Amino acid sequence: LINSINHLSTMKRSISGNIADQSFKKRKLDWSDDENDEQIAAMLLSALGEASRYEDSSEEEDIEMSSEDNELADYVIQSDDSSKPLQRTDWLQMIITSPDVPGSIRYIVVHAGLTLFNLHRVLHIIFKYKDTIGIEHYFIINNTKYGSGPGPRKGRQSDRTKKIIECISGIGDKFQYIYGSLVCDILIQASLGGKTNHDLSWVPRVCTGSKGSFPGESKCMDEDLMKKFKSSDNFKVDNANRKLMTTRFSPNQSMNKNPRQGPGIIYGPGDPTEVILRAYKKTIFDMKEDMNAV
């Protein structure tokens, strides 16, 4: 950052957080005085850290690729590692396939504290569904049925408050998501620990390797139409991520009516939106190449 002082004037104009201002005032430096740029640049990361901690405390939530690689040992929590239990903010990589749609696949990353209902919402975004035609949805996890909305309530638990972390034991767990006649198999493939509330702006996301289409939503109401469906390779990862990064996924559904700001970057070469999109679709395995990618 010190070597990028020539960009500082642009950065100063783009940062308007009160905490950052207050941090520099406490150090008796004039935020607007260009002569102080070198000292200001040295302290900028610290000030932004204070701002992110304030942001983390203000709201709890603003809110797969297979390989055996020893280099991932420090980053991937294995299902038999009891010394590293999953935390709410840990990232989980999932593979989503369907016996009804051979060849179509989605790799997604979500955080372990995401509710099942919000996972349902994520799936609808990456399947291009609207959830407005009264189709029953539910998850089957360890022989327990979780769902809400249309369909009989008897025999199912609510997915509105149940979190993924409360239903799974670790990497390798499998469960199903059913939407009308569409059956999806979900495998938890990897996880990345050490994440914070601040990192939740980078999830949920759909990753590179995702391909193929899923049946139109109305076809999910008719098993015969489902059998006639043929997948086409028209899925655009970036388009789905543009929607995911601006959709709010709070456990309190009343807060999800308004969009969230999504991730941002201070400075980077090229168009900021393109830089963000490139990072946003990285799988957990891709991140082993550069753990500072996000």
Side-chain angles (χ1 to χ4, degrees):
L1 184 60
I2 294 297
N3 294 329
S4 301
I5 291 175
N6 56 319
H7 298 293
L8 187 59
S9 60
T10 301
M11 293 163 63
K12 289 195 296 184
R13 287 196 299 271
S14 66
I15 296 173
S16 59
N18 290 332
I19 291 179
D21 279 337
Q22 292 169 8
S23 178
F24 288 109
K25 287 176 182 177
K26 285 190 292 185
R27 293 170 174 81
K28 301 185 184 301
L29 286 173
D30 185 352
W31 172 251
S32 62
D33 189 348
D34 290 342
E35 292 183 2
N36 292 319
D37 276 357
E38 187 167 346
Q39 296 180 66
I40 290 173
M43 286 182 270
L44 185 56
L45 291 178
S46 174
L48 291 174
E50 293 178 29
S52 67
R53 285 194 294 273
Y54 173 81
E55 179 187 69
D56 295 345
S57 64
S58 65
E59 183 177 353
E60 180 180 351
E61 285 191 84
D62 224 7
I63 4 185
E64 307 183 310
M65 318 227 125
S66 62
S67 173
E68 293 295 333
D69 194 331
N70 291 333
E71 294 180 33
L72 285 175
D74 291 336
Y75 311 122
V76 177
I77 302 173
Q78 301 299 334
S79 58
D80 58 353
D81 188 354
S82 58
S83 66
K84 293 182 178 179
L86 286 171
Q87 302 298 314
R88 180 185 65 84
T89 54
D90 288 353
W91 289 356
L92 298 176
Q93 184 163 297
M94 300 178 176
I95 305 176
I96 301 156
T97 57
S98 172
D100 299 314
V101 197
S104 292
I105 189 169
R106 297 289 184 271
Y107 296 91
I108 68 171
V109 178
V110 300
H111 70 285
L114 191 74
T115 64
L116 292 177
F117 182 75
N118 280 332
L119 178 57
H120 155 73
R121 295 176 61 220
V122 171
L123 296 176
H124 273 228
I125 290 174
I126 65 176
F127 293 162
K128 301 181 181 179
Y129 294 166
K130 300 294 185 181
D131 200 15
T132 58
I133 56 178
I135 300 178
E136 179 183 12
H137 82 271
Y138 56 91
F139 296 88
I140 298 180
I141 307 176
N142 296 322
N143 297 318
T144 301
K145 184 177 180 179
Y146 301 93
S148 58
R153 296 184 180 182
K154 185 177 181 180
R156 77 179 185 191
Q157 297 185 25
S158 174
D159 63 353
R160 295 281 175 153
T161 58
K162 198 71 173 179
K163 297 179 173 62
I164 298 172
I165 195 174
E166 298 170 340
C167 305
I168 65 171
S169 58
I171 310 308
D173 279 14
K174 299 177 182 180
F175 57 96
Q176 287 188 318
Y177 170 76
I178 291 86
Y179 185 61
S181 297
L182 177 66
V183 177
C184 294
D185 297 317
I186 301 177
L187 167 67
I188 299 177
Q189 187 187 26
S191 68
L192 186 62
K195 313 312 290 181
T196 66
N197 280 352
H198 185 67
D199 298 317
L200 296 184
S201 63
W202 292 90
V203 290
R205 65 180 188 269
V206 60
C207 304
T208 301
S210 301
K211 63 180 182 178
S213 59
F214 279 74
E217 191 165 7
S218 61
K219 289 183 172 64
C220 295
M221 302 177 69
D222 190 317
E223 190 171 348
D224 290 333
L225 290 176
M226 286 281 296
K227 292 177 180 179
K228 295 177 182 178
F229 174 76
K230 293 183 179 181
S231 176
S232 60
D233 192 15
N234 63 353
F235 179 67
K236 305 297 183 184
V237 171
D238 287 348
N239 288 349
N241 279 335
R242 289 177 189 273
K243 177 69 174 176
L244 288 168
M245 68 174 62
T246 56
T247 300
R248 195 177 296 272
F249 294 96
S250 169
N252 183 349
Q253 294 302 316
S254 64
M255 298 179 63
N256 293 329
K257 297 177 181 179
N258 298 318
R260 60 173 174 164
Q261 184 175 356
I265 56 174
I266 299 174
Y267 171 77
D271 178 73
T273 300
E274 296 303 318
V275 173
I276 290 171
L277 286 172
R278 284 200 301 271
Y280 209 84
K281 59 187 172 187
K282 283 182 177 288
T283 67
I284 286 178
F285 293 106
D286 289 337
M287 287 181 179
K288 70 166 184 160
E289 301 296 335
D290 180 9
M291 292 307 294
N292 295 316
V294 178

